[in-house]
Amino acid sequence: MLLQGKKALIFGIANEKSIAWAIAKAFHEQGAELAVTYAGESLEKRVRPLAESVNAAAILPCNVTSDNEITSVFTELAKVWDGIDIIIHSVAFANRDELKGTIVGTTREGFATAMDVSVYSFLGIMKEALPMMRGRNAAALTLSYYGAVKVFPNYNVMGVAKAALEASVRYLADAVGVDGIRVNGISAGPIKTLAASGVNGFSQILHCVEERAPLRRTITQEDVARSAVYLCSGLASGVTGEIHYVDGGFNITGL
Ligand code: 0WE
């Protein structure tokens, strides 16, 4: 098993379709011990049964826009774990109105929300996690999208946020490499999760990928999870600061 005895803290499970949930299951299969957070009371009833089914050592509330809630996660976790080997950050949010029209319609508040939830949260989590991650060859992983690099209709401020998130991966990797911690991102192809629900034209995006991606199919949560196992395991011991595409090859295509 690739993650035997490793302690993994996972942010971003909303329901059984979440990429973070596929990662939790794959990590559990590989022998990892898990702790998970949920983003608010309304999600607890969905997340708790999932977390219990993989024997999670802790199920903690964490609204990532609150410094206090981020801090609490680690003070609570320190009561049951002596350290953390893996952090998964699979969290993003923009107000629905920001994901229609063009970037020209972005509001100051909508920009701040998207950047706070989708970018700062990774920095804030890593800052608090650091004392428990040092000196154990730990790894952190976040989730991105090709909209960070190329323009996709309606993705708008999320594209700007993902670009900042990918830069944050590089700056974090440089900052914590001295502590033996690796930081990477997976840029996942489009998947129908809660975060994609109600996105205008999402089916067309999926069809486009099926036609044009080298693998001629969309990717699954399990495709992402298997790559996450690799990146967070000793198999990737020399890999940090990378954005690894799990998109069926879509990003290499031209016309
Ligand atoms: O990063 C994402 C999801 C981002 C997202 C989606 C929503 C929809 C519901 C962030 N916040 C919200 N807020 C909501 O209220 N993806 C890669 C999936 C996604 O989202 C899109 C996409 C794709 C692909 C939005 C517009 C265009 C394409």
Side-chain angles (χ1 to χ4, degrees):
M1 292 202 283
L2 288 165
L3 301 173
Q4 188 62 48
K6 292 213 184 280
K7 295 181 169 68
L9 170 60
I10 303 184
F11 293 81
I13 302 176
N15 61 32
E16 64 288 335
K17 287 184 171 171
S18 296
I19 293 172
W21 172 238
I23 293 174
K25 284 187 291 181
F27 280 18
H28 180 63
E29 280 174 27
Q30 292 297 330
E33 289 175 51
L34 305 178
V36 312
T37 71
Y38 56 90
E41 235 176 83
S42 58
L43 286 171
E44 182 179 5
K45 65 179 186 299
R46 295 214 186 284
V47 174
R48 186 168 289 279
L50 296 174
E52 284 171 355
S53 75
V54 290
N55 308 318
I59 306 168
L60 303 165
C62 188
N63 169 349
V64 295
T65 66
S66 160
D67 288 344
N68 286 337
E69 290 199 30
I70 292 176
T71 305
S72 294
V73 166
F74 295 96
T75 47
E76 289 304 309
L77 207 53
K79 295 175 186 171
V80 292
W81 282 356
D82 54 0
I84 298 170
D85 300 295
I86 300 169
I87 297 256
I88 301 297
H89 175 269
S90 185
V91 178
F93 181 78
N95 296 325
R96 194 169 277 283
D97 288 349
E98 300 288 347
L99 302 174
K100 48 183 81 137
T102 74
I103 194 86
V104 178
T106 305
T107 65
R108 190 182 297 276
E109 200 195 335
F111 182 90
T113 296
M115 294 295 278
D116 189 23
V117 177
S118 314
V119 188
Y120 178 76
S121 62
F122 191 40
L123 302 177
I125 286 165
M126 288 306 293
K127 186 194 309 200
E128 297 303 321
L130 201 51
M132 293 183 75
M133 293 181 86
R134 285 201 179 94
R136 44 197 298 144
N137 297 318
L141 181 70
T142 189
L143 273 294
S144 190
Y145 183 59
Y146 196 31
V149 178
K150 299 288 184 184
V151 175
F152 288 82
N154 303 314
Y155 200 60
N156 299 348
V157 73
M158 274 309 306
V160 176
K162 290 302 192 186
L165 180 68
E166 293 186 3
S168 302
V169 166
R170 293 184 285 272
Y171 276 88
L172 274 171
D174 184 63
V176 303
V178 67
D179 297 308
I181 303 167
R182 299 180 298 103
V183 184
N184 292 293
I186 285 177
S187 183
I191 309 177
K192 204 159 169 72
T193 66
L194 184 63
S197 69
V199 168
N200 280 328
F202 196 77
S203 312
Q204 283 118 291
I205 296 171
L206 294 177
H207 285 308
C208 182
V209 169
E210 284 173 356
E211 280 177 10
R212 300 204 195 163
L215 293 183
R216 302 295 195 280
R217 66 170 179 89
T218 56
I219 57 137
T220 65
Q221 290 89 333
E222 287 69 34
D223 289 318
V224 176
R226 283 186 284 271
S227 294
V229 168
Y230 153 72
L231 282 169
C232 296
S233 78
L235 291 181
S237 55
V239 180
T240 194
E242 286 292 319
I243 305 300
H244 182 67
Y245 282 81
V246 180
D247 67 345
F250 183 84
N251 77 97
I252 67 157
T253 62
L255 193 62

